[in-house]
Structure formats: C-alpha cells, structure tokens
Amino acid sequence: GFEVNVLRGAVKTLARHRPIAVAEFHSFDQFSQALKILKPLGYSETMIFGATPTVIFEQSARSVIRAIKTRRKFYYHKKNLQS
C-alpha cells in the first residue's frame, strides 16, 4: 500500500532520469493517485497486467525529447555563467 508514497518521494529522480516505473495497486484510488503524480512528468501507463493490477509506466518519446532540450538549455546557461 506504499506505492503512491514511494512515487511521491521519487518525483525528482523520475523527472531527472526517466526510468520505467512498475507498481502494483490494490485499488483504483491508488492507481488514480499515481497517475496524478506521473502524468505531469510525461508518464503514461503502457501495460497493465495481473489480478491486482500491476502497471508499467513509461514516458512518451515527446516528453523525453522535451526533457532533453530543457536539460541542454540549463547546461548551456550554467556553462555561460561559469565563463
């Protein structure tokens, strides 16, 4: 029952490293809460299986490209500040 709490605590890691996330939910309410956390980060459910269910979340290609562009802008801006 701590899946949603784990996702809340991992928001910065998920945003920065964009890993595939797998979680098992015991209620639709838990699943809904997870979506509220993950959707703003560009994640969507790509596979749902099992009786409980277990869900695999991945970022869309568009979200990954946007994140890379944002990180590049930050990197170049930071580099210019150090010069």
Side-chain angles (χ1 to χ4, degrees):
F2 288 99
E3 292 82 357
V4 173
N5 292 334
V6 169
L7 291 173
R8 278 191 195 112
V11 166
K12 289 181 182 178
T13 299
L14 292 168
R16 174 175 279 163
H17 299 288
R18 302 176 306 279
I20 295 172
V22 179
E24 179 182 36
F25 302 101
H26 301 282
S27 70
F28 182 76
D29 184 51
Q30 285 181 328
F31 175 69
S32 179
Q33 289 177 31
L35 283 178
K36 287 178 185 177
I37 296 165
L38 294 172
K39 286 281 184 184
L41 300 175
Y43 279 86
S44 62
E45 61 280 11
T46 58
M47 181 181 281
I48 301 174
F49 59 93
T52 358
T54 300
V55 182
I56 297 175
F57 295 96
E58 295 183 80
Q59 281 193 335
S60 69
R62 180 177 293 157
S63 297
V64 171
I65 290 168
R66 189 178 322 121
I68 290 170
K69 286 181 179 178
T70 302
R71 289 177 74 187
R72 281 187 189 155
K73 286 179 187 175
F74 175 74
Y75 173 75
Y76 290 130
H77 178 70
K78 186 176 175 183
K79 186 176 176 183
N80 290 337
L81 289 175
Q82 292 175 349
S83 298

